[in-house]
């Protein structure tokens, strides 16, 4: 599954990240940093993830406007991917993502002042690459080893 929360206040300059996270591997599959992210942009990023990692059975997300747009609804139908929206005001339904949000905020966002999008993208991508190996549950290694065998 992929998951996407919304973090409204990334930095004072108005940038905001869009996150894609696998609940199975606990990897952060993408962190998209921009001043505005449309449903079409999310669909393009999902296409890239699907091309690299395969199609998920389901995506779990909040009800953000970019995730309830016609572009996303069309993408979901075209790709045949199930989509589950968590209940409004119930972030516990996406607990792994809420945990990720806290860690992302504590370890990355609160530690840096981003002086522009290029700097934010570079720092956030470096954090994502550092986060992924440390975030995987030990049982994932066994599953991945069995897949490659």
């Amino acid at each position: 599954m992929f998951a996407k929360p919304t973090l409204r206040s990334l930095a004072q300059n108005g940038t905001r990240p869009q996150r894609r996270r696998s609940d199975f591997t606990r990897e952060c599959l993408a962190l998209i940093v921009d001043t505005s992210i449309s449903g079409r942009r999310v669909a393009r990023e999902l296409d890239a993830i699907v091309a690299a990692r395969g199609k998920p059975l389901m995506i779990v997300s909040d009800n953000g406007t970019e995730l309830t747009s016609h572009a996303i609804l069309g993408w979901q139908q075209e790709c045949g991917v199930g989509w589950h929206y968590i209940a409004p005001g119930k972030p516990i339904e996406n607990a792994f993502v809420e945990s990720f949000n806290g860690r992302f905020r504590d370890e990355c966002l609160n530690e840096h002042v981003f002086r522009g999008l290029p700097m934010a993208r570079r720092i956030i991508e470096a954090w994502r690459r550092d986060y992924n190996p440390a975030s995987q549950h030990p049982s994932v290694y066994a599953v991945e080893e069995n897949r490659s065998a």
Side-chain angles (χ1 to χ4, degrees), residues 92-123:
I92 195 67
E93 289 183 16
N94 217 354
F96 283 133
V97 171
E98 291 304 314
S99 173
F100 172 82
N101 282 348
R103 186 168 174 184
F104 180 49
R105 187 177 297 110
D106 291 345
E107 295 178 7
C108 185
L109 301 181
N110 291 345
E111 296 296 318
H112 302 281
V113 175
F114 302 108
R115 304 219 183 270
L117 285 174
M119 180 185 187
R121 287 178 181 135
R122 186 176 63 253
I123 290 170

Side-chain angles (χ1 to χ4, degrees), residues 51-69:
R53 302 291 294 264
K55 182 174 73 169
L57 296 176
M58 179 178 286
I59 294 177
V60 177
S61 75
D62 66 10
N63 294 286
T65 56
E66 67 278 5
L67 297 172
T68 57
S69 68

